[in-house]
Structures are given as C-alpha cells and as structure tokens.
C-alpha cells in the first residue's frame, strides 16, 4: 500500500506564520489564562460569526457541557435531542444530570425532525439540543417556534457547521446558544478547542466562571466552576487558521465537486435514479463542505455500505461510518435508551458512509474512491 487516505487531514497554516506567533509566548511566558491571543481570537471570532458573545473553551465537548450548565435547566429535566450525532452531544446532556429524550431525524438531511418534537414534550421538558449534522442546518424556524410556544431553551450543536450561514444569517446566532468544536479534524481547528456563541451577556459571564473554577479575583471564588480554558498555543492556531477560512472552505468545495463529477451518473443528481445518494443541498445554506456522506439506497443498502467500507480499507482508504451505531445503541446507553423510537436514524446509520474529504485530496484520489464504490 503506497499511501493512506484518512477521512480527513488537519489543515495547517503557514509554518513561519504560526512559529512567528509563538515567539511572543517565549518572551511573555503567558501561556494560558485568557492571554493576549485568547482575547484577540475571541474578538476576531465575534466579528467573523457576527455574534455578540463568544466564549472560548478547551474543546467542543466542554463547550456543550458548560453551555448546558449555563442555561440553568432544572436538574433531572428532559432535553429533546437527536441520536444521530457524535456521542459527545448525548454525553453532555447525561453528564449534566439531565435526561435525553430522542427524536427521530429527517431522511433527507439527517437533522432532527422538527415535526416530531412536539409529541415528545412533557411537563419535564426544559430544552432542545439539535445538531447541524454534516453541516445541514436544522429547521431553525420550526424549532424556535416550538421553543417559544413551550418556553424551552435551544442549544445547537454546530460542531459540523462552522462558518455556515442560513438565509444570510450566521448560524452562530440562532437559539439561546450554539457551540462549535475546533478539534483538529474539523473544517476549522485550534488543535483542540471549542466555543460557545450567544447573544447573552448573562450566558457569557456564567461561562467565564464555569471555565475558570468560578474565580473572580485572587481571593474570591463565586461559583463551582470547572477548568476549560483555551490556551495561547490553540488561540494562536485559531488566529492563523481564521485568516485562511475562506480558502479552506473553497478548497473543500472543489473536492466536493470532484465527488459529484465522478460519483454520479452524468446529468443525474436525483436520489431516485441513483443507488447511492447524499443528503440534499439546500440553497438557503452556504456550506462549509465539511463532510461527504453517501447513503446506500435499496434493500441491500446496509450490506453494500459495509462492503464498500471494507473494500476502501483494503486500498488504504479510510471512510467512516458516521454515525453508527447511533447514541441510543451504544454500549453505555443501550439499556436505558435502546428502545427509543427513532427508526429512520437507525436505518440511515446502517447505510451511511462519510468519504474522505479535505482540501488537498486530488481529483485522481477522488476518481479512485468513486471507482471503488
Ligand atoms: C467533534 C464533535 C463534538 C465534540 O467536539 P470536541 O472538540 O472533539 O470535543 C461534539 N459534537 C459533534 C457533532 C462533533 O462532531
């Protein structure tokens, strides 16, 4: 095997530029605790995301955990969410002492099915936690109308959707808060890192306490906080990568185009005609081209998905079964939530395969992958 193609490859900024920024850290020896780069990066993100408050944290998971905590939901209350996500979303709810209630997803774009949310609302429901899966934006209008009607909080897991807009509005500005992950494998990264975006000073202040032990001053601890600060090396990486964000996204778009060219029959984009399809494209969304999931259609879809996954592996190409198994079927949740009624999420999880996608992937590689499938 001459080379290996992983599902993604971290984008790196210009080496000299990043190292140049590190010089300052050697001089000041201020490596963390809301240093100069942290504050500059926070400000640059606020501008880029057109969002009033951005709280930087050490990773996307802590962004979810602390954002949920900052929303101050009653202990033991229910949070309606999707099982078709990275396990972090579910863990964040459970680790906050809240009860996840699983809503099924839409077949066309794999996001939570807003038409099925109301039936799951009880007098214990306190919030909705939807995920913009693969960068497909949830039905934010319907979700927020339901939240308004029943006085529920909304926290979006935007880990897949950094940089995207919906009807011209940055997705960081929807709901009570939106979180992002800046993990090395995401479209935009800070090595490890994350952020909580909101329009609320109260949430921002609460998060500041929660990510820094609740320390307000040298002799005053006002809250039972955790430690989830972003360090200066990550913030510097964020500043460098944010400068490149438009190029990072457009390079991915080019590769996305290669897949469309080589994977689909000429002139065909229809799900009906193809035996494989990808979640639809919505013209209201500007995508970040983070993922290229395909869904194997037909009765033998699950079998062909697994066969394609194995076939690619033997050629050194590592696609991923995102998201299989769904949260409710994982070992740690099976007993509690395994009987949740989400047949579409379960079905799609058996038929979906996320193909390698990153800016440097060549058309030749994409042609090979498409050929193998
Ligand atoms: C990556 C991811 C997270 C967790 O982010 P980390 O930075 O890895 O902690 C949460 N939710 C989703 C949907 C993700 O893809």
């Amino acid at each position: 095997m001459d080379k290996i193609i992983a599902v993604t490859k971290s984008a790196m900024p210009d080496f000299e530029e990043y190292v140049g920024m590190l010089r300052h850290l050697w001089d000041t020896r201020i490596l963390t605790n809301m240093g100069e780069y942290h504050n500059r990066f926070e400000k640059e993100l606020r501008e880029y995301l057109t969002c009033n408050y951005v709280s930087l944290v050490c990773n996307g998971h802590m962004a979810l955990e602390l954002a949920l905590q900052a929303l101050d939901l009653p202990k033991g209350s229910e949070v309606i969410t999707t099982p078709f996500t990275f396990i972090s979303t579910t863990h964040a709810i459970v680790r906050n002492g809240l009860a996840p209630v699983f809503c099924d997803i839409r077949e066309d774009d794999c996001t939570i099915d807003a038409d099925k949310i109301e039936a799951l609302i009880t007098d214990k429901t306190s919030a909705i936690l939807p995920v913009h899966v693969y960068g497909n934006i949830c039905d934010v209008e319907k979700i927020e109308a339901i939240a308004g009607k029943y006085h529920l909080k909304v926290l979006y897991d935007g880990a897949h959707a950094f940089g995207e807009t919906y009807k011209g509005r940055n997705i960081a500005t929807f709901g009570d808060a939106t979180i992002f992950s800046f993990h090395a494998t995401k479209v935009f990264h800070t090595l490890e890192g994350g952020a909580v975006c909101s329009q609320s000073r109260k949430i921002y202040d609460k998060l500041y306490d929660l990510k820094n032990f609740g320390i307000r001053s040298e002799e005053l601890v006002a809250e039972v906080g955790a430690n989830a600060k972003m360090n200066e090396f990550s913030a510097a990486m964020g500043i460098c990568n944010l400068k490149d964000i438009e190029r990072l996204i457009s390079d991915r778009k080019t590769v996305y185009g290669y897949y469309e060219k080589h994977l689909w029959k000429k002139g065909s984009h229809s799900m009906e005609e193809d035996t494989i399809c990808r979640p639809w494209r919505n013209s209201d969304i500007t995508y970040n081209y983070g993922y290229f999931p395909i869904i194997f259609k037909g009765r033998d879809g699950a079998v062909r998905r697994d066969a394609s996954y194995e076939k690619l592996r033997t050629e050194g190409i590592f696609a991923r079964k995102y998201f299989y198994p769904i949260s409710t079927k994982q070992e740690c949740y099976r007993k509690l939530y395994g009987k949740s009624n989400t047949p579409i999420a379960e079905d799609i999880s058996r038929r979906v395969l996320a193909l390698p996608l990153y800016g440097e992937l060549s058309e030749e590689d994409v042609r090979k992958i498409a050929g193998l499938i």
Side-chain angles (χ1 to χ4, degrees):
M1 209 177 293
D2 30 345
K3 72 167 179 183
I4 280 180
I5 299 176
V7 73
T8 191
K9 194 170 182 176
S10 299
M12 297 306 271
D14 180 69
F15 181 74
E16 301 301 332
E17 188 186 357
Y18 183 64
V19 170
M21 288 189 76
L22 299 188
R23 168 52 61 198
H24 179 67
L25 302 181
W26 261 254
D27 293 340
T28 63
R29 306 294 167 103
I30 297 173
L31 309 183
T32 185
N33 286 18
M34 284 58 101
E36 196 177 316
Y37 290 153
H38 170 282
N39 296 342
R40 181 172 142 198
F41 180 42
E42 220 173 63
K43 177 168 172 287
E44 288 181 6
L45 274 180
R46 275 201 307 272
E47 283 161 12
Y48 176 69
L49 298 169
T50 65
C51 166
N52 289 350
Y53 297 99
V54 174
S55 313
L56 294 175
V57 288
C58 58
N59 60 52
H61 180 76
M62 287 310 287
L64 274 171
E65 261 195 50
L66 299 186
L68 269 176
Q69 202 182 341
L71 290 178
D72 220 1
L73 309 171
K75 270 274 167 284
S77 64
E78 296 172 355
V79 178
I80 296 174
T81 189
T82 168
F84 194 77
T85 181
F86 182 49
I87 200 68
S88 168
T89 319
T90 313
H91 283 349
I93 297 170
V94 175
R95 288 170 55 81
N96 264 286
L98 301 162
V101 172
F102 294 95
C103 181
D104 210 353
I105 60 171
R106 294 156 55 121
E107 198 156 3
D108 54 7
D109 70 355
C110 301
T111 64
I112 196 166
D113 188 342
D115 290 330
K116 293 184 178 151
I117 291 176
E118 262 186 294
L120 298 171
I121 293 176
T122 70
D123 51 10
K124 285 200 190 135
T125 309
S126 61
I128 309 173
L129 204 178
V131 180
H132 299 312
V133 187
Y134 309 133
N136 291 325
I137 303 305
C138 305
D139 190 340
V140 289
E141 284 123 350
K142 217 170 261 170
I143 289 167
E144 280 162 39
I146 294 168
K149 185 169 162 194
Y150 294 91
H151 307 290
L152 307 175
K153 303 276 197 219
V154 181
L155 170 63
Y156 289 106
D157 182 339
H160 291 187
F162 183 82
E164 298 194 352
T165 63
Y166 175 72
K167 294 188 178 165
R169 184 172 149 192
N170 196 289
I171 63 114
T173 63
F174 288 99
D176 292 278
T178 294
I179 73 96
F180 293 111
S181 161
F182 304 147
H183 185 256
T185 54
K186 309 285 175 172
V187 170
F188 169 80
H189 78 89
T190 62
L191 314 172
E192 290 259 13
V196 182
C197 302
S198 77
Q199 309 297 326
S200 154
R201 173 86 211 192
K202 216 174 119 204
I203 290 178
Y204 178 81
D205 288 343
K206 178 90 181 177
L207 281 165
Y208 197 93
D209 274 342
L210 291 176
K211 74 179 181 186
N212 190 31
F213 307 103
I215 295 174
R216 298 265 175 88
S217 70
E218 233 172 280
E219 297 186 7
L220 174 64
V221 174
E223 275 267 3
V224 187
N227 176 11
K229 303 182 296 285
M230 177 179 281
N231 70 63
E232 290 289 277
F233 288 76
S234 285
M237 182 59 85
I239 290 168
C240 291
N241 279 338
L242 193 58
K243 274 188 206 147
D244 289 340
I245 187 72
E246 300 304 334
R247 185 184 52 80
L248 293 176
I249 292 174
S250 83
D251 287 357
R252 283 175 167 276
K253 184 176 181 178
T254 303
V255 177
Y256 199 94
Y258 297 153
Y259 271 117
E260 297 201 304
K261 177 171 157 197
H262 294 291
L263 210 44
W264 273 269
K265 284 180 292 223
K266 258 210 162 54
S268 151
H269 285 277
S270 146
M271 294 188 181
E272 263 60 61
E273 289 170 51
D274 282 297
T275 52
I276 46 176
C277 69
R278 56 157 164 65
W280 70 341
R281 288 217 276 177
N282 179 337
S283 58
D284 287 331
I285 303 170
T286 57
Y287 288 91
N288 66 13
Y289 302 94
Y291 298 86
F292 199 96
I294 56 173
I295 295 171
F296 292 78
K297 296 181 70 178
R299 279 171 48 190
D300 59 347
V303 173
R304 284 187 296 117
R305 190 278 300 266
D306 289 344
S308 295
Y309 171 84
E310 292 302 336
K311 175 79 191 162
L312 290 170
R313 268 184 88 93
T314 62
E315 298 285 329
I317 298 161
F318 295 86
R320 295 295 294 270
K321 299 174 192 175
Y322 289 148
F323 292 98
Y324 174 82
I326 53 174
S327 290
T328 47
K329 301 292 178 187
Q330 289 288 0
E331 177 71 23
C332 59
Y333 291 128
R334 223 167 37 197
K335 282 206 183 84
L336 272 171
Y337 308 117
K339 296 220 153 52
S340 302
N341 184 29
T342 60
I344 296 172
E346 207 175 321
D347 178 46
I348 289 182
S349 80
R350 293 180 200 284
R351 297 192 282 120
V352 70
L353 194 61
L355 301 181
L357 178 59
Y358 47 87
E360 296 150 56
L361 200 62
S362 70
E363 181 162 8
E364 200 44 48
D365 288 333
V366 170
R367 204 156 55 103
K368 180 175 171 193
I369 294 167
L372 288 166
I373 288 167

